[in-house]
Amino acid sequence: MQLEKKIVKDIMFLRLKSVPATKEDSAAAQDLADTLRANSERCVGLAANMIGVRKNIIIVQTQLAPIIMLNPRITAHSDKSYEAEEGCLSLEGTRKTLRYEKITVEYCDTAMKKHTGSFSGFTAQIIQHEIDHCNGKII
């Protein structure tokens, strides 16, 4: 059963750094997936703190399918960056920020199996935005 969660807009809460996710956080990951699906016309990624869960979990809509990442960490990035203008469900309007063109991310799936992925373009931008959320950084 799909249950969309309410989007948190409390800046003080969003500025809190998330804590590491564990295998027991699969329900929060499912809530993220349900909320992304419910907001698919205006959203391409979410972090768990955006639905009130201070866990290091993100979901990113790729061209193929959404990817849930527990404890994502950027381990490498291109030298080249660019200025992007981003919006966020938790914030009003858009803001400018710098993003790397290419990134390598280590993360776990909901079974805590480790993965490494290389991402570029818009997908890399979304991942960087959501990891910023986990680190309490507001664009």
Side-chain angles (χ1 to χ4, degrees):
M1 181 168 97
Q2 259 183 266
L3 285 176
E4 169 189 5
K5 297 294 183 182
K6 184 177 177 193
I7 302 297
V8 172
K9 297 184 183 276
D10 179 350
I11 297 298
M12 296 309 286
F13 180 80
L14 294 171
R15 284 196 173 133
L16 298 172
K17 190 172 169 98
S18 296
V19 298
T22 66
K23 195 172 185 176
E24 286 72 41
D25 293 315
S26 61
Q30 185 60 54
D31 288 343
L32 267 184
D34 292 343
T35 305
L36 179 67
R37 197 173 304 108
N39 290 280
S40 63
E41 291 185 14
R42 60 191 189 117
C43 181
V44 290
L46 290 168
N49 64 352
M50 294 175 67
I51 61 168
V53 178
R54 279 190 55 215
K55 291 290 187 152
N56 195 357
I57 307 169
I58 68 171
I59 186 167
V60 178
Q61 181 63 54
T62 69
Q63 289 180 334
L64 301 175
I67 300 175
I68 295 173
M69 298 180 176
L70 279 67
N71 305 317
R73 189 170 61 89
I74 297 171
T75 57
H77 59 76
S78 59
D79 290 334
K80 195 166 184 183
S81 61
Y82 61 95
E83 186 176 76
E85 190 161 328
E86 298 178 351
C88 180
L89 288 181
S90 291
L91 305 170
E92 295 296 322
T94 60
R95 291 162 177 80
K96 291 183 179 183
T97 188
L98 287 177
R99 297 294 182 210
Y100 296 109
E101 287 185 354
K102 296 178 184 178
I103 58 172
T104 301
V105 181
E106 288 181 357
Y107 64 95
C108 294
D109 60 25
T110 55
M112 298 309 286
K113 181 180 176 196
K114 291 188 178 192
H115 299 270
T116 300
S118 294
F119 304 91
S120 61
F122 191 54
T123 302
Q125 182 179 335
I126 301 164
I127 292 169
Q128 290 170 81
H129 178 104
E130 303 312 336
I131 288 175
D132 280 353
H133 268 294
C134 291
N135 291 324
K137 181 179 176 186
I138 310 289
I139 58 166

